Amino acid sequence: MTSPILEYADKVWRGMVRPDEVPLTALRAAGAQEVTYGVAMWPAFGNVYAIRGEEGLALFDTGNAVDAPAMYQAIRQWSDEPIKYAIFSHGHMDHVAGTEAFDEENGPRPIVVAHEGMARRFARYGRTAGYNTVIDQRQFGFIRMTWPTSYRVPDLTYQNRMNLSLGDVTFQLRHARGETDDATWAFLPERGVLLTGDLFVWVAPSAGGPQKVQRYPDEWAVALRKMATMNAELLLPGHGLPIAGADRVRQALVDTADYLDSLVEQTLDLMNAGVRLDEILHTVKPPQELAHRVYLKPLYDEPEFIVRNIWRLHGGWHDGNPAHLKPAPDAVFAKAVADLASGAASLAGRAIVAAADGDLRLACQLAELAAQADPDDHKVHEIRARVYALRVQDETGALARGIFAWAAAESRSKITGLDILDVYHEVAGGQMWWIPGAAR
């Protein structure tokens, strides 16, 4: 079976088209496309899959709230059969927020199926709604975004594994811990289809998440290797385009597992040798042959962030530097350094020199100290804004770029008096952060 989605997927795999050059808006506008017998894909920020069986339809993920009306129309244009199951791959809002229109149809509501950990996730989201609102604004520039406090709670949960049936289609659901602790992947043996959720998303695994809760790279790799044994003919990811062909599917899964395992083992070897986190962060690198794979580029998360999460998982929050155990407040430390450097303005000047020398890491640290030492100095904030704006242009990972753009916007808003979110998009150049398969 061929479709525009599969044609572009083949070109991306072969390196003929860059993932960010795929015309996703046009593909999405074409509606839900059948990518193998009885399986349709609606590509979005958080892909949605519809599977047809003798006993009706099942959805694998339901996307985000913004895209939900268009997604509903696309699925219903493909099939008007009743939805028996809606399976959530994990509890992130870009995968679970499009169920409402299906719930409102005549007849029984879809049975929402998920891992039992999703209830705990939704409870945590309710307690941290303000924080999640802040970090999504900072990370992605979502204007006037407010984190939801009500969620479609699963009707049916499982612990380790569960099989569902649509008559002639079986869903072998398996739990994994990876980007989340409530992840579900599914294999459809009759169709040779593997549904990975965000355990595979066409970029380096999001196992770092600087502003997110713990990730689990060790167990993530185990799950990927288990998926590779399914000999699936078609991989349908949580983000990005499908991968068709058993050899390609196996390669993508095993490569990603090897990538994670390498970072884990390098980090643990250095931890076991008593090395501090600072040195580990600047020593551990992914294998070069894997880092160049089109589906392992650090365009969202990054190896450096993954290493931090490995340290946190296995070693706790202290980085090994005794001065960081119970430090002085940032502002007190910054003021002391500024006094040694003849003032905050002098520190900011040194940030300019470091930036000119190409050391943007040091430039940001110096500019940050200067702004903390004298938070009311507009000249210091102008330098801080410029340094972080340069950092935005220098970074490839969307998570880092978003945080650095927010820092630049903070300083520019102090200077101009403009709303920080308006300034944010100016700093970011109007760019919407990107994951292959879904423009944000």
Side-chain angles (χ1 to χ4, degrees), residues 115-427:
H115 182 259
E116 63 182 12
M118 197 166 294
R120 295 190 295 272
R121 170 178 300 279
F122 288 162
R124 173 168 59 82
Y125 280 172
R127 298 183 68 190
T128 58
Y131 174 72
N132 284 314
T133 296
V134 169
I135 64 172
D136 268 9
Q137 289 177 345
R138 182 190 304 147
Q139 192 163 283
F140 304 120
F142 290 162
I143 298 177
R144 314 290 179 255
M145 183 270 186
T146 301
W147 192 263
T149 55
S150 62
Y151 315 98
R152 178 60 161 92
V153 178
D155 305 298
L156 178 63
T157 63
Y158 74 101
Q159 186 175 53
N160 295 315
R161 57 178 59 207
M162 173 187 285
N163 287 355
L164 301 173
S165 176
L166 289 177
D168 61 334
V169 185
T170 305
F171 291 79
Q172 297 177 351
L173 306 184
R174 301 294 181 262
H175 170 239
R177 296 207 301 178
E179 183 184 22
T180 68
D181 61 2
D182 60 355
T184 291
W185 58 272
F187 181 59
L188 283 54
E190 297 88 354
R191 306 281 169 87
V193 170
L194 177 68
L195 295 144
T196 67
D198 280 5
L199 293 165
F200 185 87
V201 294
W202 276 91
V203 287
S206 184
Q211 302 179 104
K212 302 290 186 177
V213 297
Q214 183 68 58
R215 272 72 163 114
Y216 305 92
D218 313 62
E219 294 166 82
W220 194 334
V222 171
L224 290 164
R225 295 190 191 283
K226 179 62 178 177
M227 285 186 252
T229 67
M230 299 292 102
N231 296 316
E233 289 291 337
L234 184 66
L235 183 156
L236 300 178
H239 301 271
L241 300 179
I243 298 177
D247 290 342
R248 289 183 180 181
V249 170
R250 190 177 305 107
Q251 177 184 324
L253 295 170
V254 172
D255 280 354
T256 306
D258 288 346
Y259 181 100
L260 286 170
D261 279 342
S262 176
L263 295 178
V264 170
E265 293 308 314
Q266 290 180 68
T267 301
L268 290 179
D269 285 347
L270 292 170
M271 290 176 68
N272 288 329
V275 178
R276 292 182 180 184
L277 176 59
D278 178 71
E279 182 178 342
I280 294 175
L281 288 172
H282 296 95
T283 300
V284 174
K285 308 292 180 187
Q288 280 298 310
E289 67 273 16
L290 297 179
H292 292 301
R293 297 278 197 260
V294 67
Y295 43 83
L296 288 174
K297 301 284 188 182
L299 299 177
Y300 186 68
D301 214 328
E302 303 178 44
E304 183 174 333
F305 300 157
I306 297 174
V307 170
R308 284 189 180 274
N309 242 332
I310 296 167
W311 176 285
R312 180 171 65 169
L313 178 63
H314 293 285
W317 60 264
H318 183 231
D319 63 4
N321 184 334
H324 292 166
L325 185 64
K326 298 182 71 174
D330 285 350
V332 172
F333 177 71
K335 182 67 166 57
V337 174
D339 288 345
L340 290 172
S342 301
S346 177
L347 270 180
R350 291 295 300 170
I352 294 175
V353 173
D357 289 341
D359 193 344
L360 290 178
R361 288 181 181 248
L362 179 59
C364 287
Q365 288 177 293
L366 294 170
E368 196 65 29
L369 284 171
Q372 289 172 343
D374 193 348
D376 298 321
D377 189 323
H378 281 195
K379 291 184 178 179
V380 167
H381 276 290
E382 179 62 35
I383 291 172
R384 180 176 182 265
R386 290 183 180 183
V387 166
Y388 278 116
L390 286 172
R391 195 73 183 271
V392 171
Q393 299 304 315
D394 192 59
E395 295 290 328
T396 59
L399 295 180
R401 294 175 72 179
I403 293 171
F404 293 143
W406 187 266
E410 281 181 324
S411 284
R412 288 197 178 169
S413 68
K414 287 182 178 290
I415 299 166
T416 63
L418 296 173
D419 185 276
I420 189 170
L421 285 168
D422 295 332
V423 181
Y424 177 99
H425 287 279
E426 177 188 339
V427 173

Side-chain angles (χ1 to χ4, degrees), residues 11-22:
K11 292 177 181 178
V12 171
W13 179 275
R14 295 175 183 271
M16 299 167 61
V17 174
R18 283 178 21 187
D20 57 337
E21 293 177 341
V22 175

